[in-house]
Amino acid sequence: MDEKIEKKYRIGDFAEVTGLSSPTLRYYEKEGLINPHRTENGLRYYTEQDVDWIKFLLHLKSTGMTIEQLKQYVKWRAEGDSTIDKRVELLEEVRSNFEKEFENLQNSWTILNDKLDWYKGKVNGHIEDSESFAAYLKRLNHHE
Amino acid sequence: MDEKIEKKYRIGDFAEVTGLSSPTLRYYEKEGLINPHRTENGLRYYTEQDVDWIKFLLHLKSTGMTIEQLKQYVKWRAEGDSTIDKRVELLEEVRSNFEKEFENLQNSWTILNDKLDWYKGKVNGHIEDSESFAAYLKRLNHHE
DNA sequence: ATTAAACTTAAAGTCAACTTTAATTAATTG
DNA sequence: CAATTAATTAAAGTTGACTTTAAGTTTAAT
């Protein structure tokens, strides 16, 4: 009987591979976002699956999911395949919100670049001293 | 002597055009981010320039600038043209951080989409029940 | 076998960015 | 001109997402 030996991480090592701190991992556990195993003496340990989950969770967090939403997602996941629709619906909502926000971000990035170009135009004389940034934006047709 | 009559906004109207709340505007003022005028009776009023400034400030905030950084920016702006270099440097740093974060966001968005595709593949049978999401990502060459 | 490093817990503390409260005054509307 | 609506202030409260503290236990290294 050969057992597949899976790597086990204690909290400090797991913190290192995930980029989170040990207290954050304990906090996530308290919130129900992750459920590490325990040694017979009560020490946590994490597996490769836990690594995959935390990586995915961090992507979800980046796209704007809150701890509360993640909690709900985990709860549904634990309930099994009957909740796939709900999970998909939640992720689709997150995606939709993210896409709106993403467009705003692109716009803000454009305006930031415009401002830098404007400053540089002022300094090197390619933009008239009298032209306000608002007027400059209007000229470029970059609104809002 | 014809005077150009500029539109004046009281705080409630200004809140409406900027999308901020009145308390937030007072908070920004306390932090030194905006300096409205006052009527003889002490009521704040804001001008079109203030609208432009708040719109720009909100873009800066979107790209990740904190209130503290905005404070610094405003302080430099008040000091005049001699601080243009510093302001440009600050904005360039903000842009650079934003660009890094933006790449992460794009990646997270990809992974979120992959997850939704994976769920849908599971449900409609295009993806084998046995294929984990991690394996699916590996197959797509979408890593991290 | 000792000691240092890493772990355990529950509870309190921090931080940024607002938001709410309370008591008062100004402006607008019927 | 009374009543409603909108403004004023300072100070306290809220929220989400952690972080720190304190007091003890387990593991690893010499």
Side-chain angles (χ1 to χ4, degrees):
Chain A
M1 58 296 196
D2 43 14
E3 282 169 35
K4 213 171 218 166
I5 24 157
E6 251 222 21
K7 189 156 199 305
K8 292 174 180 176
Y9 301 89
R10 285 172 56 178
I11 197 167
D13 298 330
F14 191 69
E16 205 160 323
V17 307
T18 59
L20 299 171
S21 71
S22 298
T24 298
L25 287 166
R26 294 193 192 97
Y27 164 69
Y28 280 4
E29 182 180 347
K30 204 180 60 180
E31 293 301 314
L33 302 188
I34 187 161
N35 249 267
H37 309 263
R38 298 278 179 156
T39 68
E40 47 182 42
N41 283 311
L43 296 200
R44 290 170 180 82
Y45 69 88
Y46 301 81
T47 66
E48 284 299 336
Q49 268 114 291
D50 293 324
V51 174
D52 291 340
W53 162 239
I54 286 290
K55 281 184 179 168
F56 179 55
L57 175 153
L58 290 176
H59 283 302
L60 292 183
K61 250 177 65 65
S62 293
T63 59
M65 258 176 110
T66 63
I67 301 288
E68 281 309 305
Q69 285 177 311
L70 284 163
K71 228 158 156 169
Q72 179 63 78
Y73 181 84
V74 168
K75 218 179 121 202
W76 278 332
R77 201 182 46 164
E79 286 172 23
D81 285 358
S82 67
T83 62
I84 285 187
D85 287 359
K86 287 172 177 174
R87 282 179 268 162
V88 166
E89 197 185 349
L90 173 55
L91 294 187
E92 278 175 340
E93 194 199 317
V94 168
R95 176 171 64 179
S96 156
N97 292 338
F98 178 74
E99 280 166 356
K100 267 177 226 128
E101 183 54 25
F102 202 77
E103 280 180 40
N104 287 338
L105 286 180
Q106 282 178 287
N107 187 223
S108 289
W109 183 77
T110 300
I111 303 282
L112 172 54
N113 278 297
D114 289 343
K115 186 73 175 193
L116 280 165
D117 292 345
W118 179 80
Y119 270 133
K120 284 164 189 177
K122 291 275 165 181
V123 169
N124 69 23
H126 292 156
I127 295 175
E128 294 205 35
D129 266 21
S130 61
E131 187 173 32
S132 72
F133 180 56
Y136 176 68
L137 285 183
K138 212 167 193 170
R139 179 152 69 82
L140 291 179
N141 248 6
H142 291 179
H143 281 295
E144 275 299 89
Chain B
M1 58 295 194
D2 42 14
E3 283 168 36
K4 213 171 219 166
I5 22 157
E6 252 222 19
K7 190 156 198 304
K8 291 175 181 177
Y9 301 88
R10 285 172 55 179
I11 197 167
D13 298 331
F14 190 70
E16 206 161 322
V17 307
T18 59
L20 298 171
S21 70
S22 299
T24 297
L25 287 166
R26 293 193 193 97
Y27 164 68
Y28 280 5
E29 182 180 345
K30 204 180 59 179
E31 294 300 314
L33 302 188
I34 187 162
N35 249 269
H37 310 262
R38 298 280 179 154
T39 67
E40 48 182 43
N41 284 312
L43 297 199
R44 289 169 181 83
Y45 69 88
Y46 301 81
T47 67
E48 284 300 336
Q49 267 114 292
D50 293 323
V51 175
D52 292 340
W53 162 240
I54 286 290
K55 281 184 179 168
F56 179 56
L57 175 153
L58 290 176
H59 284 301
L60 292 183
K61 250 177 66 63
S62 292
T63 59
M65 257 178 112
T66 63
I67 301 288
E68 280 309 305
Q69 285 177 309
L70 284 163
K71 228 159 155 168
Q72 179 63 77
Y73 181 84
V74 167
K75 218 180 120 201
W76 277 332
R77 200 182 48 163
E79 285 171 25
D81 285 359
S82 67
T83 63
I84 285 186
D85 287 358
K86 287 172 178 176
R87 281 179 268 163
V88 166
E89 197 184 352
L90 173 55
L91 294 187
E92 278 175 341
E93 193 200 319
V94 167
R95 176 172 63 179
S96 157
N97 292 338
F98 178 75
E99 280 166 356
K100 267 177 227 129
E101 183 54 25
F102 201 79
E103 279 180 40
N104 287 338
L105 286 180
Q106 281 178 286
N107 188 222
S108 289
W109 182 77
T110 300
I111 302 282
L112 172 54
N113 278 296
D114 289 344
K115 185 73 175 194
L116 280 164
D117 291 345
W118 180 80
Y119 270 132
K120 284 164 189 177
K122 292 274 164 181
V123 168
N124 69 23
H126 292 156
I127 295 176
E128 293 204 36
D129 267 21
S130 61
E131 187 174 31
S132 72
F133 179 56
Y136 176 67
L137 285 184
K138 212 166 193 170
R139 179 152 69 81
L140 291 179
N141 248 5
H142 291 180
H143 281 297
E144 275 298 271

